Amino acid sequence: MGSHPKPQILFSREEIEAAVTTLATKINNDYRGKNPILIGVLKGAFVFMADLIRHLDFSPEVEFVRASSYGRGTESLGKVKIVHGLRSPIEGRDVLVIDDIVDTGRTQAYLLDYLRKKRPASLKLCSLTDKPSRRKVPITIDYLGLTVPNKFIVGYGIDWDEKFRNLPDICFVETED
Ligand code: PRP
């Protein structure tokens, strides 16, 4: 494996913290008196979800799914499959999906369809970041933190080739494409 270029900071940890706090405030207001299930989309969402739930003033149930949409490197293959499905029923439940980034939208389109078939009472999407310049499938992001430019994003859970998930800031790396 070759060397990776040095990531440059796009959003600092302080800017991320502010975005997470703002999102949590909205979610606290909207889900007051409800008992939602938060479903994190592995792997990338694990850092964001860990921070987000610690800002919630209710105690959410937490589940995880894992969808696979990328090969190695930076290009989406355009195919999605569920590689770790839900282990708990969500019929009649308020469901909030938590993801780290919406890029082409294919993962979320597929995943939301998968979850909708399980007949939740409500189904919403919270994504820390959005890269609208790459969208191939229309997606409504009910709770959005930060919009990112058309650069390769890493850090705060997001990888490049399984690297850089541990960076505390949201960064970009210069790539050929
Ligand atoms: C990333 C991210 C989203 C998806 C977005 O996950 O977490 O789920 O890609 O891309 P899309 O909008 O083009 O579908 P990835 O498949 O890279 O897996 P990972 O979270 O395990 O790194």
Side-chain angles (χ1 to χ4, degrees), residues 143-168:
Y143 303 93
L144 171 64
L146 302 161
T147 299
V148 299
N150 191 12
K151 290 177 178 289
F152 204 84
I153 304 299
V154 297
Y156 199 72
I158 304 172
D159 75 309
W160 179 20
D161 212 6
E162 297 301 330
K163 301 280 192 303
F164 303 130
R165 294 192 197 272
N166 63 315
L167 296 178

Side-chain angles (χ1 to χ4, degrees), residues 1 10 13 15 18 29 31 47-48 52 55 59 65 82 90-91 102 108 117 120 122 130 132 136 146-147 152 166 168:
M1 190 183 303
L10 181 63
R13 62 203 76 182
E15 290 172 299
N29 285 334
Y31 287 89
V47 176
F48 171 45
L52 181 73
H55 285 85
S59 182
V65 293
I82 306 284
I90 58 169
E91 184 168 355
V102 178
Q108 283 306 332
K117 286 179 181 150
S122 69
D130 181 25
K136 295 280 192 276
L146 302 161
T147 299
F152 204 84
N166 63 315

Side-chain angles (χ1 to χ4, degrees), residues 95-112:
V95 171
L96 180 59
V97 176
I98 310 292
D99 210 346
D100 52 311
I101 189 164
V102 178
D103 190 321
T104 65
R106 287 181 179 124
T107 302
Q108 283 306 332
Y110 190 90
L111 188 58
L112 291 170

Side-chain angles (χ1 to χ4, degrees), residues 25-26 125 162:
T25 301
K26 288 182 190 153
L125 171 62
E162 297 301 330

Side-chain angles (χ1 to χ4, degrees), residues 29-144:
N29 285 334
D30 292 357
Y31 287 89
R32 182 162 296 129
K34 297 184 175 178
N35 179 29
I37 296 187
L38 270 54
I39 300 179
V41 185
L42 294 171
K43 301 178 201 174
F46 79 104
V47 176
F48 171 45
M49 191 158 172
D51 280 348
L52 181 73
I53 63 168
R54 283 178 286 176
H55 285 85
L56 297 180
D57 59 16
F58 59 91
S59 182
E61 282 180 50
V62 169
E63 289 286 339
F64 292 95
V65 293
R66 186 171 175 206
S68 176
S69 64
Y70 280 64
R72 309 298 283 178
T74 62
E75 275 302 305
S76 171
L77 298 175
K79 289 183 180 173
V80 180
K81 62 178 178 178
I82 306 284
V83 294
H84 174 91
L86 262 193
R87 296 294 194 265
S88 302
I90 58 169
E91 184 168 355
R93 300 294 305 274
D94 292 307
V95 171
L96 180 59
V97 176
I98 310 292
D99 210 346
D100 52 311
I101 189 164
V102 178
D103 190 321
T104 65
R106 287 181 179 124
T107 302
Q108 283 306 332
Y110 190 90
L111 188 58
L112 291 170
D113 193 48
Y114 163 81
L115 294 172
R116 203 172 286 116
K117 286 179 181 150
K118 297 179 182 294
R119 306 176 66 84
S122 69
L123 181 59
K124 288 187 175 182
L125 171 62
C126 171
S127 184
L128 178 62
T129 68
D130 181 25
K131 196 194 284 181
S133 54
R134 292 249 309 165
R135 195 73 90 252
K136 295 280 192 276
V137 181
I139 290 291
T140 299
I141 304 175
D142 302 284
Y143 303 93
L144 171 64

